[in-house]
Amino acid sequence: MQADRGCNVVGPPSGQSLALPAGGVFTGEMAENRAFTTLSYNGDLTTDWTDGRDHPVNWTGPSTGEGCLVNNPDGFGGPLHTQNETRATGTALAISYNSNLAKVNMENLVVISVAPNTPWKRLVDYPIPADLPPCAPGQCYCAWLWVPDGCGEPNMYMQNFRCHVPGSTSVRRLGIAQPPVYCANNPSACVKGPKQMIAWHQRTGNNVVTPGDVTPPYNSKMGFFPGAQNDIFETRVGCFVDSDSPRVLPHQISSITGGMTTEKCISACETAGYFYAGVEYSTECFCGNSQPGSGLLVADGQCDMPCAGDGGETCGAGWRIEVYGTAKYPASSYTPAVPPVLTTSTWLYLCPEVQWGGSCENIRVGHAEKCVSLAGTDIYKRVRSAGPDMGRCVLFR
C-alpha cells in the first residue's frame, strides 16, 4: 500500500504480523509518538492518554471558534484533531485476504471493526467479527483508518500492517466492499453489507462525495456502526445442477473481461439489478431473481473448477453453478442451502443414465438423470464433466 512513497518495498520485519482474533477483541495503542506507548522505554512514558500526559476526564476545547483541543488553555491535543471525545469521529480496521500486495484493492479491503469516538485515549478496543475466516500469519493485509473532522487541514490517515486471523474455523468469505455513502440525514440511504475504507479529499481515487464537502467519518453518518461489522460476508447460496433449459439463473452476462471471478460476476449482476449471481464452468456468469430449488442442490465439492481470473477460488463446474446473493436482496431474506452429507449409504453425485458395467471410457457427459452407486462398498463412481478426467468414470471415496 502507499507505493507512491516506497512503503510497498519496506515491509515489516520477518515474522511480525498483527493478530486479529476472530470473535475476540484486538486492543491497540494510539499515541502521538511511539515514545508514549509500551513499545518504547519499557512503557515508562505511558499514561491513559495519547501524549503521555494527564488530562481531565471531560477534557475539551473552548466554546469559541472551532473549539479545538489545541485552543484549550493547556495547549495540548492538537494531533487528535477534535474538540472533545464526543466529536472524535471514530477509527476503523480493514482487512484484505491477499498475501500479494499488488492484489489488494478497494473492493477486497473490507472494513471489519469500528471504534467510536476515537482517537481519544491511548488504549482502544476493536471487536473482531466471529465469522472472520482464518488467515495464516503475515498472509493478509490490514489497515488502520481515520478521517478527523476539522481542527486542522482536512485529511485522511491510513496505517498498514501484515496481519493474520487466529482461532477461526469459519468457511465464510468476505463480500465485495462497496463505497460507503454519506447518510446522516437519510438512514435508508446508508450502504448495507461490506464497505470500503473512506477515500476522500485526495488528488485521485476518491470514493466518497459529501454535501458541502462535509467530512465523512467512521460512524453512523457513513453507515458504519460501533464494534464488529458483522454484515461483511458474501451470501453463498450453494452449488446447483444447471441445464440448457431452463437455466437455473436465466440471464447471462457476457461482458466481463480479464478472467472470471466470483466478485466480478456478483458485481455485474448487482449492477444489473438482479438478486442472485452464479458462476459456472470457470468462465461463465449468470443472473436471476429466483433462488434455485433445493432439489437441484448438490455437494459443494461438485463446484470445483478454478475461476479463470483467480485460481484461488472456484467458479462452478460443467453444468454446476455456484450461486450467490447480491446486495440487491436483503441478506435476512436468503434461504441458506445446506448441501447433503456424504455417507456410505448415500449416493451424492448425478451420473449419466447408462447401463453400468464394462468400460467407463468416453461416456457422454451432460445427461445426468439418475444416481448410480457401486453396491456393497464405500467407493462411489461418477463421471467428471470438466478437467483432465472429462468423460471418464473416476473413483470417489
Side-chain angles (χ1 to χ4, degrees):
M1 303 179 189
Q2 298 187 11
D4 63 316
R5 63 195 68 187
C7 297
N8 59 315
V9 295
V10 188
S14 178
Q16 289 199 4
S17 179
L18 183 71
L20 301 178
V25 175
F26 166 70
T27 299
E29 295 184 77
M30 296 185 187
E32 298 170 15
N33 189 296
R34 178 177 170 138
F36 305 130
T37 73
T38 56
L39 298 175
S40 297
Y41 301 108
N42 296 316
D44 292 343
L45 302 185
T46 62
T47 67
D48 288 341
W49 300 87
T50 63
D51 59 3
R53 299 181 176 89
D54 291 310
H55 301 283
V57 174
N58 61 346
W59 191 27
T60 188
S63 58
T64 58
E66 271 196 288
C68 302
L69 278 176
V70 70
N71 300 127
N72 182 285
D74 66 15
F76 301 121
L80 293 177
H81 298 286
T82 192
Q83 295 85 1
N84 50 49
E85 182 177 13
T86 301
R87 295 292 300 275
T89 54
T91 56
L93 290 178
I95 191 170
S96 173
Y97 278 75
N98 282 280
S99 58
N100 183 348
L101 184 58
K103 292 187 176 182
V104 178
N105 57 42
M106 296 295 280
E107 288 73 30
N108 61 43
L109 184 65
V110 180
V111 174
I112 60 171
S113 187
V114 169
N117 305 117
T118 59
W120 187 241
K121 290 192 174 182
R122 177 174 60 88
L123 296 180
V124 58
D125 290 338
Y126 292 96
I128 306 302
D131 284 342
L132 202 64
C135 183
Q139 295 302 299
C140 285
Y141 275 95
C142 289
W144 176 85
L145 310 163
W146 173 38
V147 182
D149 184 10
C151 290
E153 181 182 352
N155 213 332
M156 53 173 273
Y157 292 81
M158 179 181 187
Q159 188 171 14
N160 311 310
F161 309 90
R162 282 195 180 273
C163 58
H164 62 283
V165 181
S168 173
T169 57
S170 173
V171 296
R172 302 188 72 178
R173 296 195 295 192
L174 303 192
I176 301 170
Q178 304 296 319
V181 170
Y182 187 81
C183 54
N185 302 316
N186 182 17
S188 64
C190 295
V191 172
K192 297 179 176 61
K195 288 181 278 295
Q196 299 177 9
M197 63 171 280
I198 295 169
W200 173 79
H201 215 262
Q202 305 303 296
R203 182 176 298 172
T204 62
N206 295 312
N207 65 348
V208 170
V209 176
T210 58
D213 207 30
V214 172
T215 300
Y218 284 99
N219 59 33
S220 60
K221 294 180 179 180
M222 292 297 297
F224 295 102
F225 293 91
Q229 310 295 290
N230 292 311
D231 61 350
I232 59 177
F233 304 99
E234 68 180 19
T235 305
R236 186 180 185 280
V237 182
C239 179
F240 297 85
V241 175
D242 200 5
S243 61
D244 268 330
S245 180
R247 284 282 189 180
V248 166
L249 299 178
H251 304 282
Q252 186 168 9
I253 300 289
S254 302
S255 57
I256 294 174
T257 59
M260 183 62 64
T261 67
T262 56
E263 291 80 7
K264 287 181 180 179
C265 182
I266 294 170
S267 179
C269 291
E270 182 178 310
T271 299
Y274 291 105
F275 294 164
Y276 295 96
V279 285
E280 186 168 340
Y281 202 55
S282 183
T283 61
E284 299 172 347
C285 174
F286 296 88
C287 313
N289 285 328
S290 297
Q291 180 166 316
S294 59
L296 298 175
L297 179 68
V298 293
D300 286 346
Q302 293 197 38
C303 287
D304 59 0
M305 287 188 70
C307 295
D310 185 348
E313 61 182 20
T314 57
C315 280
W319 299 115
R320 298 294 184 270
I321 185 169
E322 207 161 353
V323 178
Y324 298 84
T326 75
K328 292 294 182 182
Y329 204 55
S332 59
S333 299
Y334 289 124
T335 303
V338 180
V341 177
L342 178 64
T343 69
T344 57
S345 60
T346 304
W347 175 252
L348 299 180
Y349 293 93
L350 297 176
C351 310
E353 190 173 10
V354 297
Q355 181 66 38
W356 196 259
S359 174
C360 293
E361 299 294 326
N362 301 319
I363 294 175
R364 288 183 63 195
V365 177
H367 295 69
E369 301 291 343
K370 186 181 292 184
C371 294
V372 183
S373 65
L374 185 62
T377 75
D378 63 347
I379 299 176
Y380 296 85
K381 289 185 177 181
R382 63 170 171 162
V383 173
R384 294 280 293 178
S385 57
D389 293 318
M390 183 172 178
R392 296 169 134 192
C393 296
V394 294
L395 297 180
F396 180 85
R397 195 181 288 272

